[in-house]
Amino acid sequence: MKTKAVILGANYYIGLSIIRCLAIHGVPTVAIDYSSKGTYGFHSKYCSETLIGPNCKKDPEGLLNFLIEYSKKQDHKPVLFPSADGYVEFIDNHLSTLSKYYLITQTEEGLYTKVMDKGALHSLAKEHGLLVPETVHINEENFKEKIEENIKFPCLVKPTDSPAFVSKFRKKLFKVYNMEELKEAIKRATSANLDVIVQRIIPGFDDHMYTFDAYLNQEAKVTHWVTCQKYRQFPINFGASVYTGQKYIPELYDIGGKFLENIGYKGFAEIEFKKDANTGKYYLIEINARTTNLNSLLFKAGVNMPYIAYRELIGKPLEPYAVTHDTNLVFWYAFEDLLAVRGYLKTGQLKFMDVIKSYNKPKAYAIWDWKDPKPAFMFFGNKLGSLIRKILRFTR
């Protein structure tokens, strides 16, 4: 009986991509979510089991007990995969217990949560000599003077706890243009009991955003890696990847790989960098401590991160590999990319013909797969149903 893979979260394409990446190698995949509503990953032909369990945020103890009971019924410890930040935090908080029942890449409790926290990450990065955007904490002395002299406007108000902030405001940050807007943004965040920092905007369009995607083995050594360049994001300028290409940038391995090894990181990580348009230097922006939006691109480029983790954890590691050439492949999340393009055109940041020309590349799709089409049909059916309901409410 093969070791199972348990995937936490199937209502977004990240969980779906993990399921596909494992199942094509014959790994039994168990998708767990707290609701079947809109959970299109459940409809993949690659799913061996689909289970409804407690919500990791509303009932973490319930989910913990649910997972323990499931593991007890298995012949081998399953491999556990989080598909969203909330699940990463849940695993991190219960790592000592979960590791008795599941195979998990990280062994140091709290490290994933630490690198996800913007304040802690930036302190850690500076200790290891990495550049990070100039930052001011809201309780610092001479706050106003530091903003005006070092940060300048416009600037960013960013959360230290991204998942909680996104859950509350449905956006990753606030962009403010003057002191009055800054004070209002800080007030909104603190009123919701959320800690925030104020950060300088590194100059450069969205195509100055790059990623270093890597897998580190149980000895905290980089064994597999790929670098990518963002082209478009949604929301525009400060959002998630919707159109991103694989691009070989060896300098990012030198910076990011060394940093992750030095902090004892294990498993998959994606470091986001921004290249300063004026100086050409790379600034660390954030780390995603889980499988990310770009997983289908990494897979198509030849690096199957979920399967790499699975094989190592069951004691059959794959040979190291890195993509050290340009493949011309792009990741495309068509639904949000169309929304992003509208924003870029409206603000004059892109021209229509440039957008059209950009599509002339081989693609790794977020949801669509010719061999597994049902999740895409379910996704678009959900979106269409939502649109119809809005129209009906508007016409009443």
Side-chain angles (χ1 to χ4, degrees):
M1 185 73 178
K2 274 195 171 183
T3 299
K4 292 181 178 179
V6 171
I7 298 94
L8 298 178
N11 65 353
Y12 195 56
Y13 61 82
I14 293 175
L16 173 62
S17 70
I18 298 173
I19 293 165
R20 287 170 170 167
C21 281
L22 294 169
I24 60 168
H25 289 286
V27 177
T29 56
V30 184
I32 299 177
D33 214 301
Y34 59 86
S35 172
S36 60
K37 185 179 180 181
T39 307
Y40 53 87
F42 275 3
H43 298 276
S44 171
K45 73 174 187 180
Y46 294 113
C47 259
S48 305
E49 297 176 55
T50 59
L51 301 171
I52 301 296
N55 188 308
C56 70
K57 294 180 181 178
K58 296 180 180 178
D59 186 13
E61 291 297 325
L63 180 57
L64 179 64
N65 292 329
F66 180 89
L67 290 172
I68 290 171
E69 290 305 311
Y70 182 81
S71 178
K72 285 180 178 178
K73 299 172 186 175
Q74 310 309 313
D75 295 327
H76 309 286
K77 278 186 180 181
V79 181
L80 192 61
F81 290 90
S83 69
D85 289 342
Y87 290 117
V88 175
E89 292 178 333
F90 164 77
I91 292 173
D92 224 9
N93 291 337
H94 301 282
L95 186 60
S96 58
T97 300
L98 284 169
S99 59
K100 297 174 184 176
Y101 300 93
Y102 289 86
L103 300 174
I104 303 169
T105 53
Q106 189 53 262
T107 57
E108 181 184 335
E109 193 163 306
L111 181 58
Y112 277 19
T113 304
K114 186 176 183 180
V115 300
M116 286 166 59
D117 181 287
K118 297 294 190 300
L121 172 62
H122 284 202
S123 296
L124 195 61
K126 284 194 281 188
E127 286 175 22
H128 290 270
L130 274 72
L131 293 173
V132 296
E134 290 82 349
T135 301
V136 173
H137 296 267
I138 60 174
N139 56 357
E140 284 187 30
E141 291 184 6
N142 304 317
F143 174 79
K144 184 178 178 181
E145 290 77 7
K146 289 178 179 178
I147 296 295
E148 292 175 340
E149 293 175 13
N150 303 327
I151 306 297
K152 304 185 186 305
F153 291 104
C155 60
L156 306 177
V157 178
K158 301 179 72 172
T160 56
D161 183 351
S162 289
F165 189 92
V166 172
S167 178
K168 173 66 178 179
F169 296 110
R170 313 312 302 172
K171 59 173 66 178
K172 295 177 71 174
L173 50 80
F174 297 134
K175 183 178 181 181
V176 297
Y177 293 84
N178 53 55
M179 190 59 69
E180 289 69 30
E181 289 185 8
L182 174 58
K183 291 177 180 177
E184 178 59 28
I186 292 172
K187 182 179 179 182
R188 287 182 67 190
T190 54
S191 296
N193 295 316
L194 294 169
D195 292 324
V196 289
I197 54 178
V198 185
Q199 208 168 79
R200 179 175 79 92
I201 297 175
I202 304 301
F205 181 58
D206 289 2
D207 61 1
H208 282 62
M209 294 293 299
Y210 296 84
T211 68
F212 172 68
D213 294 86
Y215 183 81
L216 289 89
N217 65 14
Q218 292 300 293
E219 296 177 353
K221 298 297 180 184
V222 175
T223 59
H224 298 76
W225 59 276
V226 188
T227 52
C228 303
Q229 179 182 11
K230 288 188 180 184
Y231 299 129
R232 295 190 289 273
Q233 308 179 98
F234 184 78
I236 64 171
N237 307 134
F238 302 103
S241 298
V242 292
Y243 201 71
T244 295
Q246 180 276 321
K247 178 76 174 177
Y248 176 51
I249 314 285
E251 190 175 351
L252 297 186
Y253 168 75
D254 298 333
I255 301 169
K258 182 180 178 182
F259 172 64
L260 291 171
E261 290 181 349
N262 285 343
I263 65 173
Y265 194 96
K266 299 172 184 177
F268 174 77
E270 179 181 87
I271 306 181
E272 289 196 15
F273 291 95
K274 187 166 186 181
K275 185 178 183 180
D276 189 310
N278 298 328
T279 66
K281 294 179 179 179
Y282 291 96
Y283 285 74
L284 182 149
I285 303 300
E286 66 179 8
I287 292 182
N288 291 305
R290 49 155 174 80
T291 307
T292 67
N293 307 49
L294 303 182
N295 193 51
S296 62
L297 171 62
L298 308 183
F299 166 71
K300 201 161 186 177
V303 181
N304 186 336
M305 293 294 187
Y307 190 57
I308 291 165
Y310 177 88
R311 284 288 297 267
E312 190 197 10
L313 292 177
I314 65 169
K316 299 178 181 179
L318 297 172
E319 287 296 313
Y321 178 71
V323 181
T324 55
H325 62 283
D326 293 339
T327 63
N328 203 38
L329 287 166
V330 294
F331 162 80
W332 190 30
Y333 182 24
F335 177 73
E336 287 194 349
D337 184 44
L338 294 176
L339 299 176
V341 166
R342 183 177 65 177
Y344 287 118
L345 295 177
K346 186 177 180 180
T347 55
Q349 296 180 59
L350 286 176
K351 295 179 180 179
F352 181 72
M353 286 310 299
D354 292 332
V355 173
I356 297 301
K357 289 177 183 177
S358 73
Y359 288 125
N360 188 30
K361 293 176 181 289
K363 296 174 183 63
Y365 299 101
I367 302 173
W368 177 253
D369 186 332
W370 285 103
K371 296 178 181 178
D372 187 30
K374 194 172 180 182
F377 292 143
M378 297 303 298
F379 171 80
F380 286 111
N382 292 334
K383 292 297 181 185
L384 182 60
S386 177
L387 178 61
I388 291 172
R389 286 190 293 273
K390 285 182 180 179
I391 292 172
L392 290 175
R393 281 199 300 268
F394 181 76
T395 55
R396 284 173 184 168

